[in-house]
Amino acid sequence: MLYLWLKAFHIVSVVCWFAGLFYLPRLFVYHAQSEDSISKERFSIMERKLYRGIMGPAMIATLIFGGWLIYLNPSIFSQGGWIHAKLILVVLLIGYHHMCGAQVKRFARGENTRSHVFYRWFNEVPVLLLLAIVILVVVKPF
């Protein structure tokens, strides 16, 4: 029963983390388009609060619950290569998360050099990672 509770909390944490990963780059799009200092300051505050208040804790919870699930079921590594591929994608996702954090700091310092078009493309990365991770977990293709 503990395993199912952990899995439920893992899924909720993933949903919260991805909500932030989808929304933060969208804020970057709007921030890159803003021209007045009031808007820029408002976006910096929103980005910082989203990154630190929601995304960070959700990522940590995702990793804790996921690690706990693996701890309780280490035989998952002998069920195929899908779990290895998923974990590699999770590492890439953590890297993307930290890239977002670096960008939050750049915007806060007024050092953004990228256009809103860049952030529109940047915003698609977590979509692709989510798609791949869900397919690996549900379909277990290998």
Side-chain angles (χ1 to χ4, degrees):
M1 189 63 143
L2 173 64
Y3 192 83
L4 295 177
W5 278 103
L6 292 173
K7 189 185 280 190
F9 287 125
H10 178 65
I11 291 168
V12 169
S13 300
V14 168
V15 169
C16 293
W17 187 22
F18 269 96
L21 290 170
F22 291 152
Y23 187 50
L24 185 61
R26 179 45 80 189
L27 288 176
F28 294 160
V29 170
Y30 300 141
H31 197 158
Q33 289 177 316
S34 66
E35 296 179 6
D36 61 288
S37 61
I38 294 172
S39 294
K40 289 179 181 187
E41 181 62 28
R42 183 177 296 128
F43 283 120
S44 287
I45 291 168
M46 291 170 66
E47 291 159 359
R48 185 187 75 245
K49 287 184 176 186
L50 176 61
Y51 186 76
R52 291 185 185 165
I54 297 172
M55 292 171 61
M59 178 188 71
I60 291 167
T62 297
L63 298 176
I64 288 171
F65 290 125
W68 201 348
L69 289 168
I70 289 171
Y71 173 77
L72 292 176
N73 185 19
S75 65
I76 197 166
F77 288 108
S78 63
Q79 296 175 2
W82 67 271
I83 187 69
H84 299 89
K86 177 199 173 191
L87 293 175
I88 289 169
L89 294 177
V90 169
V91 168
L92 292 174
L93 195 59
I94 293 167
Y96 180 85
H97 175 98
H98 289 292
M99 288 173 63
C100 286
Q103 194 56 48
V104 166
K105 291 176 184 175
R106 276 189 214 101
F107 270 117
R109 293 188 307 259
E111 298 173 357
N112 176 53
T113 58
R114 297 184 170 126
S115 74
H116 67 94
V117 175
F118 170 82
Y119 294 112
R120 289 179 193 278
W121 286 103
F122 185 71
N123 194 32
E124 301 306 318
V125 173
V127 174
L128 298 174
L129 289 170
L130 178 64
L131 180 65
I133 289 169
V134 169
I135 289 170
L136 286 169
V137 171
V138 173
V139 178
K140 296 177 177 64
F142 50 90

